Amino acid sequence: MIQFYEFRTLENGEEALFLYLSLEEEFSMEWLAEFKDKTWKQFVSHHHALIRGCKVFLVVGGVTVAVFSSQKFLQDSFTPISDSTVYVTQQVVNPKENVTNLVEFKKNESISSNEEVEIKDDTSFVENSSDVDEKKPVVGIPSNKIESTDSHPPVSGSGGSVNEEKIPDINESIKDESGSLENTFFVSVKRSNGIVEQIAMEDYLIGVVASEMPASFHEEALKVQSILARTYALKRISKGLILTDTVSTQRYIDIVEMKKMWGSQFEMYYRKIKNAVLKTDGLVIMYQGELIDALYHSTSNGMTEDSQNVWGNAYPYLVSVDSHWDKTVSSYEKTTVIDDSVVLKLFGVLPQNLDFEILRRNASGRVAELRIGEKIYSGVEFRNLLGLRSSDFELSVENHQLLIKTKGFGHGVGVSQYGANAMAKEGRDYLSIIKHYYQNVEIRNY
């Protein structure tokens, strides 16, 4: 039985996986062969994204009893450790006291490598989908295809006061990694390669936050993103729907991808995000006893948007609120040039002959209706048609080109990520930030 695991860098620079086994096991070559065929396969089915290329050590009672390669575990044989073999930099006597990244392996819950998994993949839930449930907003795309978070540094602004309700002793209740409840709760994630992985919730949330928000953001903003990711995932799971690693649900990356993205800053950023996840362990956002649709976007136009203006459904907690901090973000305004061939294909005329007029804007300043020729479009329809950054835009024609200047980045509903970061830099905590962007909600343990 695998009780805990940790990753370490050996003296020769190799990354190794240490598996801590139950003291109740009676070890022999026959036992090791059975471990290889059964327990190891189960472990791989849960964690194979993390262990590719690792050397694997079996440890019992502080003693390494075997080492093998994970890359070819079906072909490789186990090799008992000899006195002349030096792999471990220090002996581990008590894993619970010495291991820095412990995750309990779920007892009596094995998943074989050939298990059939029912996949309920509703990838039609995208922001511009016309097939929307009458009672629910489209929630499958917190950050849609064209609003992945910008990489430019956040800029702070100024803001007013909000209700700063506290959850008693939440930070004090989490002392270290081993205190997390979520490292024993596994979620199914359909990866881009089609494989469904079982990933510990804690690891999944780290991967989502790493993918959806710049790691350079303030810790309180990262805590906000952790709670949004958890709330979104649990609501989707409660509906019997599987998670993916793409924008069809929430983007997720594993440790290998994080290392590629962050390079030499991996350890610093990984620890920063992991701390944000741990310090909000189990916290979700609820409205009248139900998990909310935890929508968010990169940057607003200075006001967030009412969900009714985007999807036609009103939600009391998804209403327009002030987010003036976003106006100071470097990419707040952007001008997009639409090629004349695109204009001709879509509207039947060249840019210089295009007849257009913005008819109406909604309370948040975004375009509600505009006329192109004789056809009327909603601002959301026009944004989706041309792949614009937001539905707050101005049109002009210069030098026979159609120019569209947008403000903000995203659908504008829910939390503004750059607004949250600016609020955090002003000294706001994650509770007050969430309660500013979502009205009359509760943040509590799930």
Side-chain angles (χ1 to χ4, degrees):
M1 174 66 67
I2 300 172
Q3 294 184 314
F4 306 97
Y5 74 78
E6 70 162 330
F7 289 94
R8 278 198 201 165
T9 301
L10 304 179
E11 289 182 335
N12 62 4
E14 287 184 281
E15 185 170 298
L17 168 66
F18 286 76
L19 302 179
Y20 297 92
L21 307 178
S22 170
L23 285 168
E24 298 173 359
E25 303 291 356
E26 183 176 340
F27 294 98
S28 64
M29 292 308 295
E30 290 78 14
W31 180 92
L32 288 174
E34 183 177 355
F35 174 90
K36 170 186 172 183
D37 291 336
K38 295 181 180 180
T39 308
W40 175 241
K41 286 183 180 179
Q42 295 169 7
F43 185 84
V44 169
S45 71
H46 281 74
H47 305 89
H48 66 84
L50 302 178
I51 63 180
R52 288 191 295 268
C54 287
K55 185 162 287 182
V56 181
F57 294 80
L58 303 184
V59 182
V60 57
V63 178
T64 302
V65 297
V67 61
F68 60 97
S69 166
S70 68
Q71 191 169 9
K72 299 180 179 178
F73 73 94
L74 287 174
Q75 292 80 29
D76 289 358
S77 59
F78 290 87
T79 304
I81 295 294
S82 66
D83 293 338
S84 62
T85 306
V86 180
Y87 286 116
V88 187
T89 55
Q90 63 177 1
Q91 197 67 281
V92 177
V93 178
N94 186 339
K96 289 188 178 181
E97 293 180 358
N98 293 277
V99 178
T100 58
N101 184 21
L102 299 178
V103 178
E104 184 178 349
F105 196 72
K106 299 179 74 176
K107 295 183 179 180
N108 302 322
E109 186 171 328
S110 63
I111 298 182
S112 63
S113 58
N114 61 353
E115 179 182 3
E116 293 183 3
V117 181
E118 181 181 2
I119 301 173
K120 300 178 180 179
D121 189 7
D122 62 338
T123 53
S124 63
F125 279 158
V126 294
E127 189 175 303
N128 62 350
S129 173
S130 59
D131 183 20
V132 181
D133 186 277
E134 293 179 356
K135 297 182 180 180
K136 298 288 183 182
V138 181
V139 299
I141 184 163
S143 293
N144 69 25
K145 296 176 182 176
I146 60 171
E147 63 174 271
S148 58
T149 307
D150 294 337
S151 59
H152 54 74
V155 183
S156 63
S158 60
S161 62
V162 294
N163 181 5
E164 299 189 6
E165 177 184 338
K166 301 291 183 181
I167 295 177
D169 300 323
I170 183 61
N171 290 332
E172 289 74 16
S173 67
I174 300 175
K175 302 300 182 183
D176 54 33
E177 289 91 339
S178 62
S180 171
L181 300 176
E182 293 175 333
N183 60 12
T184 59
F185 175 59
F186 288 79
V187 297
S188 298
V189 180
K190 183 182 179 184
R191 302 304 303 274
S192 300
N193 59 11
I195 296 174
V196 176
E197 295 183 11
Q198 303 298 315
I199 303 173
M201 175 64 92
E202 179 183 301
D203 295 330
Y204 169 73
L205 294 176
I206 293 170
V208 171
V209 176
S211 179
E212 292 282 6
M213 178 174 276
S216 59
F217 271 24
H218 194 283
E219 182 185 18
E220 294 302 306
L222 294 171
K223 289 179 186 178
V224 170
Q225 191 68 48
S226 300
I227 297 173
L228 299 184
R230 182 184 296 108
T231 303
Y232 177 87
L234 289 174
K235 179 153 189 176
R236 187 171 178 84
I237 291 169
S238 71
K239 294 179 178 180
L241 301 173
I242 200 167
L243 297 161
T244 73
D245 61 3
T246 71
V247 294
S248 64
T249 59
Q250 296 187 114
R251 288 175 303 176
Y252 162 83
I253 58 176
D254 58 29
I255 287 180
V256 174
E257 294 167 294
M258 291 181 213
K259 288 181 177 179
K260 290 180 180 178
M261 180 171 66
W262 293 325
S264 62
Q265 296 179 303
F266 166 76
E267 289 188 10
M268 177 183 69
Y269 283 149
Y270 182 84
R271 174 61 56 183
K272 185 179 179 182
I273 289 177
K274 185 168 186 174
N275 284 340
V277 171
L278 290 172
K279 289 179 180 179
T280 60
D281 189 35
L283 293 183
V284 294
I285 311 168
M286 307 191 85
Y287 179 81
Q288 294 186 351
E290 299 289 335
L291 291 167
I292 72 165
D293 290 312
L295 300 183
Y296 52 93
H297 58 282
S298 173
T299 315
S300 80
N301 68 340
M303 294 285 293
T304 65
E305 183 62 293
D306 192 308
S307 64
Q308 188 170 17
N309 293 332
V310 180
W311 298 292
N313 297 296
Y315 286 78
Y317 54 87
L318 292 176
V319 297
S320 181
V321 299
D322 171 63
S323 189
H324 63 270
W325 304 273
D326 298 314
K327 293 182 178 181
T328 62
V329 176
S330 60
S331 63
Y332 169 69
E333 291 186 350
K334 183 175 181 179
T335 299
T336 301
V337 179
I338 308 299
D339 188 77
D340 57 1
S341 62
V342 174
V343 175
L344 181 62
K345 181 178 180 180
L346 292 177
F347 309 116
V349 296
L350 292 170
Q352 58 268 30
N353 299 321
L354 190 65
D355 180 24
F356 59 85
E357 179 185 8
I358 293 178
L359 302 176
R360 182 169 59 88
R361 292 182 180 270
N362 59 35
S364 71
R366 294 170 175 84
V367 174
E369 286 186 335
L370 75 156
R371 178 183 57 80
I372 303 290
E374 296 181 355
K375 186 171 181 179
I376 305 299
Y377 296 87
S378 72
V380 173
E381 288 173 336
F382 191 75
R383 178 202 171 199
N384 292 331
L385 182 66
L386 293 176
L388 302 176
R389 288 165 60 93
S390 83
S391 57
D392 184 352
F393 52 80
E394 296 280 357
L395 284 71
S396 63
V397 175
E398 296 180 16
N399 299 323
H400 304 293
Q401 292 180 314
L402 176 62
L403 308 181
I404 304 179
K405 183 171 71 174
T406 55
K407 295 180 180 179
F409 192 5
H411 50 57
V413 180
V415 171
S416 163
Q417 293 174 311
Y418 276 80
N421 188 58
M423 292 178 71
K425 292 177 73 174
E426 288 183 351
R428 307 291 192 88
D429 65 12
Y430 66 95
L431 295 169
S432 65
I433 294 170
I434 290 172
K435 283 183 169 287
H436 174 75
Y437 284 108
Y438 299 126
Q439 298 296 289
N440 302 313
V441 296
E442 295 179 274
I443 300 98
R444 67 189 195 198
N445 282 294
Y446 185 64

